[in-house]
Amino acid sequence: MTFGTFAEQRFFIYPDVNTYDGVIINANMVAHAPEGLAAFLLEKTNQKPYIIDPLTHAFQHDPTHITKINDDGSVETKSSIKTLSNNYGNAIKDIVGKRPLFPRDLTENLNEFVDSCIKFQKTHLSSLMANRDSNKYLLFASDDLTLTPYALVAPYFYMTEFTAKDWLSVLIKSAQRAKEIEPNYKVFSAIVVSRGVILNDDLIKDIVSNFNNINIDGFLLWIDGLEEHNASAAELKGLLSLADGLRKDETRELINLHGSYFSILAGGGQIRNKSFSGVAHGPEFGEFRSVVPVGGGIPIARYYIKSLHNRVKYRDAVKYLLEKNLLESCNIYYRDVCDCTECRRTLNGNPNNFTLFGKSDTKLVKRNSGYVTMEYPTRETKDRCLKHYLEVKKTEYDFARTAPKSEIVQDLNKGIDEYEEIAGLDFVTYLDTWRRVLQ
Amino acid sequence: MKEGNKLQESTVVDNVSKALHARRFSVWHEVPNLGQSADIVAMKGSKIMMIEAKTYNWQRALQQCKAHEVVADYICIAIASKQISSKLYEFANYLGYGIIHVKTTNECLCELVLPPKRNKKKWQAQRLVLESNINKLIQCSYNIG
């Protein structure tokens, strides 16, 4: 699971200590709060392996994404990015916040950049973890405690179908250098590409063949803004084609950084070969993500409907469950909607308590020349929805790994059959698309 | 240029609210409900009518009204236009929603051209949450009635 904020750190052992195989942490968080993260990794994750995403693509975009405007009007690089850039060498330090990074900037400085980036990942947290008191107790209790990352990630760059020709060679050289300086360490590259790339068979072949010719242990994969619930069959096929090619007959690891149930099934090994060795997302967010963040919007409570394998707005979930008479009794709810611990705890014998998954506080918000009242989910609501989500997700991962193919297909069809009439064909068609693409 | 653009949505809301108030409804604006806000909530006795006001995009109003089915006794769309679209009438009638026509004249007269049917999809548990939101607005003195 991907670390988001410290508010969610307690969920990295939820519903149980063995739920997750590892933690992904963004390098800007490592730069921003290293002590807190060192403590988190040692004490809140049951010592799960971790990978630091070096976030090197951040430097190639418009600097406005990594700068802020102060009250006096001056522009300043965000402090976490500034700290990161100070650790990444002159190629980054010289341009950060001023202009985007170009491939030409790395013609002479690439090795320094790679060396610095790898060193940052290897030592920035592990040194702090080694000095924590809790580490002494853990070392006493365990023979194989590892403080360094599970894998080191070579600096990487976002590629579109138009810029791949400029960045791919830099990406390859970066990966080669990283493996050269750390031959005994697991080294990954990161493939971060636009949706146009996965629709271009020639590009996919080009990327795959380039990486097949070098010594690398694995990959992180991120398709810009690919929302598997809305993706076309062609995009999903392209995703799998790229993943399968990079995995080189499953001899290399590949973690999809932002995947939903489709990716979970694609990595489960039961419905097809394992296109992914791992699938990541955040605590209830991050099943898709744009490379250049698009933020904002009012938070709305969302409930993960098991049969749909999708988070839906609370108001839609209520509508669907009412139409199907699934809130008539707790027994019906547990049988046909969800019987996870959180649902049982929330309903507590009364199906009307389903409203607690949407409970909100109202606040006055300034709008134009006046004020309007807006709803925001309460902290408790967010926790309930998140716990329910994590419990259902765990069952999805287990199901994808163990269920026979026929049951997986039946489950996808069940979602269509149950919700097509009330939610509409368009709303559930992704289940059919997934089934067709995966088989 | 569309006819309805001659009126602002806020004007539609104000005129409908005045008409409702004249008929002894208690009226509130921008009442939170299920993550969105209802333009107008009108209450008489224990019955709640929820109204979405639009100057032209009645399709959007129909979508917004869907959320109100869980909590309202009656649902209406208030539309400012020269004439009521036959499609709007057809959809609203099918869904049981009412239509309040706000004429785009100087007087901005309101006419109930299609009475709403009693909503049978209400879920009492969620209705209590709406009533709680209305009570909070009362405490904030947002009642314009």
Side-chain angles (χ1 to χ4, degrees):
Chain A
M1 191 154 70
T2 305
F3 181 89
T5 68
F6 285 102
E8 293 137 1
Q9 59 179 315
R10 67 190 188 281
F11 293 109
F12 280 75
I13 50 171
Y14 187 90
D16 61 64
V17 298
N18 296 315
T19 300
Y20 310 102
D21 296 315
V23 182
I24 309 275
I25 305 175
N26 284 338
N28 62 325
M29 280 302 295
V30 174
H32 176 65
E35 290 276 4
L37 280 173
F40 159 71
L41 286 169
L42 269 180
E43 296 151 24
K44 305 277 193 209
T45 67
N46 201 42
Q47 300 91 53
K48 284 284 182 286
Y50 70 97
I51 291 175
I52 297 175
D53 177 341
L55 221 62
T56 48
H57 75 92
F59 303 105
Q60 74 180 101
H61 305 299
D62 183 339
T64 55
H65 299 298
I66 55 172
T67 54
K68 60 180 182 182
I69 301 174
N70 293 322
D71 291 341
D72 62 2
S74 60
V75 176
E76 192 183 352
T77 305
K78 290 176 184 170
S79 60
S80 60
I81 299 293
K82 186 89 176 142
T83 308
L84 206 54
S85 66
N86 287 340
N87 282 280
Y88 280 177
N90 290 326
I92 304 301
K93 247 187 341 190
D94 291 346
I95 58 103
V96 68
K98 295 173 194 159
R99 63 165 177 82
L101 182 73
F102 293 100
R104 63 172 186 261
D105 297 318
L106 298 170
T107 311
E108 292 174 7
N109 295 334
L110 181 63
N111 287 353
E112 187 208 13
F113 179 29
V114 174
D115 296 358
S116 305
C117 178
I118 293 296
K119 184 186 170 192
F120 175 81
Q121 292 172 56
K122 207 174 167 189
T123 62
H124 205 73
L125 288 182
S126 55
S127 54
L128 292 171
M129 290 160 77
N131 291 332
R132 285 195 69 81
D133 284 341
S134 50
N135 182 43
K136 298 179 193 126
Y137 300 111
L138 290 165
L139 278 172
F140 181 75
S142 167
D143 290 330
D144 60 355
L145 186 66
T146 307
L147 302 182
T148 48
Y150 173 79
L152 301 168
V153 182
Y156 65 89
F157 311 96
Y158 172 59
M159 300 188 291
T160 69
E161 56 194 309
F162 308 110
T163 63
K165 63 179 178 357
D166 302 306
W167 283 112
L168 183 56
S169 57
V170 184
L171 189 63
I172 294 293
K173 286 176 190 162
S174 169
Q176 285 174 312
R177 174 65 184 181
K179 193 62 188 175
E180 183 188 314
I181 60 172
E182 294 288 349
N184 300 320
Y185 216 105
K186 204 171 267 195
V187 172
F188 285 8
S189 184
I191 310 297
V192 180
V193 295
S194 68
R195 277 169 287 174
V197 169
I198 56 173
L199 289 173
N200 187 322
D201 285 341
D202 290 336
L203 252 182
I204 291 174
K205 284 186 188 132
D206 196 19
I207 293 170
V208 166
S209 67
N210 268 277
F211 275 100
N212 278 351
N213 293 332
I214 68 166
N215 183 12
I216 197 84
D217 302 297
F219 303 91
L220 302 179
L221 179 64
W222 178 8
I223 313 301
D224 182 20
L226 182 71
E227 198 176 342
E228 291 170 2
H229 293 84
N230 292 334
S232 65
E235 286 172 323
L236 295 175
K237 283 179 186 165
L239 167 66
L240 297 183
S241 175
L242 177 59
D244 290 341
L246 289 169
R247 286 210 74 196
K248 211 177 175 185
D249 296 322
E250 297 185 28
T251 56
R252 293 171 168 175
E253 296 178 62
L254 189 142
I255 300 173
N256 185 353
L257 287 178
H258 301 287
S260 65
Y261 187 58
F262 172 82
S263 285
I264 293 172
L265 288 178
Q270 296 293 98
I271 196 168
R272 52 175 281 121
N273 58 285
K274 285 187 186 180
S275 296
F276 308 111
S277 60
V279 180
H281 49 74
E284 220 190 350
F285 64 87
E287 289 191 9
F288 64 95
R289 190 174 171 87
S290 296
V291 168
V292 174
V294 177
I298 299 158
I300 297 175
R302 291 177 188 265
Y303 178 82
Y304 195 87
I305 296 185
K306 216 154 89 165
S307 302
L308 289 174
H309 301 286
N310 197 6
R311 280 173 78 220
V312 302
K313 291 175 189 166
Y314 167 75
R315 62 172 174 262
D316 292 332
V318 166
K319 196 175 74 171
Y320 299 152
L321 299 188
L322 285 173
E323 292 234 19
K324 292 168 64 61
N325 300 316
L326 295 173
L327 292 174
E328 282 187 354
S329 75
C330 283
N331 286 342
I332 291 173
Y333 181 95
Y334 298 147
R335 185 191 68 206
D336 296 332
V337 182
C338 185
D339 67 346
C340 75
T341 311
E342 188 56 31
C343 279
R344 283 185 177 270
R345 182 168 32 228
T346 300
L347 265 60
N348 195 25
N350 181 357
N352 289 339
N353 285 334
F354 186 77
T355 55
L356 293 173
F357 282 113
K359 190 164 190 265
S360 301
D361 276 336
T362 53
K363 289 178 190 170
L364 281 178
V365 173
K366 194 160 184 357
R367 188 63 83 73
N368 299 323
S369 58
Y371 287 87
V372 294
T373 308
M374 311 235 16
E375 271 188 322
Y376 294 88
T378 64
R379 177 77 254 168
E380 293 76 20
T381 298
K382 288 186 214 173
D383 278 0
R384 274 182 214 111
C385 292
L386 173 52
K387 284 179 181 171
H388 161 74
Y389 170 86
L390 292 176
E391 289 198 60
V392 174
K393 273 290 160 190
K394 182 176 191 301
T395 63
E396 285 185 345
Y397 279 93
D398 291 341
F399 187 70
R401 273 197 288 254
T402 58
K405 182 174 172 176
S406 57
E407 266 187 51
I408 292 174
V409 171
Q410 192 180 16
D411 173 72
L412 291 173
N413 288 335
K414 182 168 163 261
I416 299 171
D417 294 338
E418 285 183 354
Y419 286 90
E420 185 181 48
E421 286 291 323
I422 51 171
L425 184 59
D426 287 347
F427 188 74
V428 300
T429 193
Y430 62 88
L431 292 166
D432 185 50
T433 306
W434 290 359
R435 183 181 55 80
R436 289 171 194 277
V437 171
L438 286 166
Q439 287 190 279
Chain B
M1 191 175 92
K2 293 194 172 78
E3 291 287 351
N5 284 353
K6 292 177 184 169
L7 278 185
Q8 299 287 331
E9 203 167 283
S10 55
T11 309
V12 176
V13 169
D14 285 344
N15 282 284
V16 171
S17 299
K18 282 175 190 160
L20 289 164
H21 179 57
R23 285 157 181 78
R24 301 186 188 281
F25 281 88
S26 298
V27 181
W28 295 270
H29 295 167
E30 297 290 333
V31 178
N33 177 46
L34 293 166
Q36 58 185 51
S37 291
D39 287 333
I40 303 170
V41 171
M43 197 165 177
K44 192 189 273 188
S46 63
K47 297 290 181 278
I48 290 178
M49 178 162 58
M50 296 178 80
I51 303 167
E52 291 295 334
K54 286 282 179 279
T55 55
Y56 65 95
N57 192 355
W58 55 262
Q59 294 92 337
R60 175 83 182 118
L62 285 178
Q63 286 174 350
Q64 290 169 323
C65 286
K66 279 284 177 187
H68 304 329
E69 288 180 3
V70 180
V71 295
D73 297 296
Y74 300 95
I75 300 165
C76 282
I77 293 171
I79 186 84
S81 58
K82 202 171 179 184
Q83 288 175 334
I84 298 293
S85 154
S86 58
K87 277 287 180 195
L88 165 59
Y89 194 96
E90 182 188 333
F91 281 122
N93 191 37
Y94 173 75
L95 293 166
Y97 302 164
I99 300 176
I100 300 170
H101 185 205
V102 181
K103 295 191 171 74
T104 55
T105 59
N106 286 340
E107 295 85 11
C108 296
L109 294 171
C110 300
E111 182 188 353
L112 184 67
V113 297
L114 176 65
K117 298 186 182 101
R118 182 74 181 268
N119 173 37
K120 292 176 184 164
K121 296 180 182 176
K122 191 177 68 180
W123 184 36
Q124 189 59 21
Q126 197 66 51
R127 165 61 168 256
L128 291 173
V129 175
L130 174 70
E131 288 176 5
S132 168
N133 286 347
I134 292 173
N135 284 334
K136 284 178 192 168
L137 286 179
I138 291 172
Q139 285 161 19
C140 291
S141 301
Y142 263 74
N143 184 348
I144 67 164

